[in-house]
Amino acid sequence: MGKRILSCAEALSEALHEEMERDDSIFIIGEDITAHDGIFGQFKGLYKRFPDRVIDTPISETCIIGAGLGAALTGMRPLVDMHFADFVTTAMDEIANQTAKIRYMSGGQVSIPMVIWAPDGGGLRAAAHHSQCLESWFVHLPGIKVVIPSEPADVKGLIKSALRDDDPVIFFQHKRLFSEKGPVPEGEYLIPLGKADIKRKGSDITIITYSRMTYLCLEAAKALKDEGIDVEIIDLRTLKPLDFELISESISHTYHALIVHEACLTGGFGAEIAALIGEKLFDYLDAPVRRLASKDVPIPFSPVMEDYVIPQVKDIIDAVKETLRG
């Protein structure tokens, strides 16, 4: 299988072209996607290729999610573009009380094969309304799967699996990663939901992370290597279902665990991972599990303040050293 260097946006566009060619029940619905190819260029060329299956909507997230839900109930496979993940807040009734529950409430008589595409994260100096990481809301919600890749190949492999899944999937993609480039396999390439990936092998400590923090953790690991500290990095890729087996395998030989995510600390997904490690892997630990996350404040507009709130490479380096000191 050949590979090319593509951005995350290009990997998504390629995957959607392939899937929409394969399955004519797949369509895209959202704001400003026909004229501008999506706010990050992630839908490039799709409207020209599939003009009847790329549909602009009014600015109403309630309407967009509701339309996607209704279409999924009839057997279609919609990809619903939220523009920014922050805007799911206006459609939470449709997501939490309808989309996530209908399969259960119908006794399995109907399924909801819908993907909610939700660009999230800060670092763009876009302030509090356009910079949030809300993944833990949906991990807490039974009936919906949560995908959150970092690199372009994972974007392609996971969006294909999400589109073929018969349950609703919310697919987060960090806003700062759409231009991130990497090798992407050509043609048919799927990654099963619920399979994490070791992005770097190491022996001294396991960092468990996802999304943009994966890149910062890799940068921190490179600096720590020069100081004689060997870091293993797990990119979860899917939060629900969670690949706890890979986490267990890693901690069973590093004996230390640091969890890093951009969402704020309190109630973040790192707390769930830490609890699982404490319950199931306590005897392997040589030190308490440590969490590093954004501070519990709305994301500031000021660049200096935003960088203070969101974890940076130096913060990761310091957290690794503190974890190893025990």
Side-chain angles (χ1 to χ4, degrees), residues 22-44:
R22 183 190 62 84
D23 185 347
D24 60 12
S25 70
I26 297 172
F27 71 98
I28 302 169
I29 186 171
E31 303 165 9
D32 288 335
I33 53 178
T34 62
H36 305 294
D37 291 326
I39 191 170
F40 299 99
Q42 71 270 34
F43 302 130
K44 186 175 181 180

Side-chain angles (χ1 to χ4, degrees), residues 83-94:
H83 214 64
F84 280 3
D86 311 75
F87 304 155
V88 301
T89 56
T90 64
M92 283 302 287
D93 180 63
E94 286 71 26

Side-chain angles (χ1 to χ4, degrees), residues 58-265:
I59 302 175
S60 171
E61 286 71 28
T62 299
C63 170
I64 299 167
I65 294 291
L69 171 60
L73 282 168
T74 69
M76 300 296 286
R77 291 184 175 269
L79 183 143
V80 180
D81 177 28
M82 282 286 94
H83 214 64
F84 280 3
D86 311 75
F87 304 155
V88 301
T89 56
T90 64
M92 283 302 287
D93 180 63
E94 286 71 26
I95 298 172
N97 288 328
Q98 305 301 330
T99 301
K101 293 182 172 61
I102 287 178
R103 184 166 186 173
Y104 291 81
M105 294 175 68
S106 70
Q109 295 180 74
V110 295
S111 59
I112 309 296
M114 178 168 75
V115 176
I116 301 170
W117 178 264
D120 71 338
L124 293 180
R125 318 315 187 193
H129 287 162
H130 301 81
S131 304
Q132 298 171 91
C133 293
L134 303 175
E135 64 273 7
S136 63
W137 290 14
F138 299 94
V139 172
H140 186 67
L141 184 62
I144 192 166
K145 297 175 181 178
V146 181
V147 177
I148 188 163
S150 59
E151 63 181 42
D154 292 346
V155 170
K156 179 175 181 177
L158 288 166
I159 193 63
K160 281 174 163 280
S161 293
L163 285 165
R164 299 183 192 189
D165 202 286
D166 286 334
D167 287 316
V169 177
I170 185 161
F171 199 108
F172 291 104
Q173 176 67 60
H174 199 286
K175 301 181 190 89
R176 287 192 62 178
L177 296 184
F178 279 94
S179 60
E180 191 70 37
K181 293 188 176 182
V184 178
E186 295 184 59
E188 186 75 346
Y189 176 68
L190 286 86
I191 298 172
L193 304 188
K195 290 294 182 183
D197 187 37
I198 295 179
K199 299 300 189 191
R200 186 186 191 279
K201 292 278 191 179
S203 58
D204 294 329
I205 185 172
T206 300
I207 295 182
I208 303 152
T209 189
Y210 51 88
S211 193
R212 177 174 171 256
M213 287 293 124
T214 302
Y215 292 93
L216 275 66
C217 289
L218 286 167
E219 190 175 340
K222 184 177 180 180
L224 287 162
K225 184 68 173 177
D226 295 338
E227 300 184 39
I229 299 173
D230 195 17
V231 178
E232 184 149 296
I233 297 174
I234 295 177
D235 179 358
L236 293 177
R237 303 194 298 194
T238 303
L239 304 189
K240 192 169 74 175
L242 174 68
D243 190 354
F244 192 72
E245 181 179 351
L246 188 62
I247 294 172
S248 301
E249 291 174 3
S250 180
I251 292 174
S252 69
H253 72 258
T254 67
Y255 312 115
H256 297 86
L258 169 66
I259 304 157
V260 181
H261 58 65
E262 185 176 319
C264 63
L265 183 69

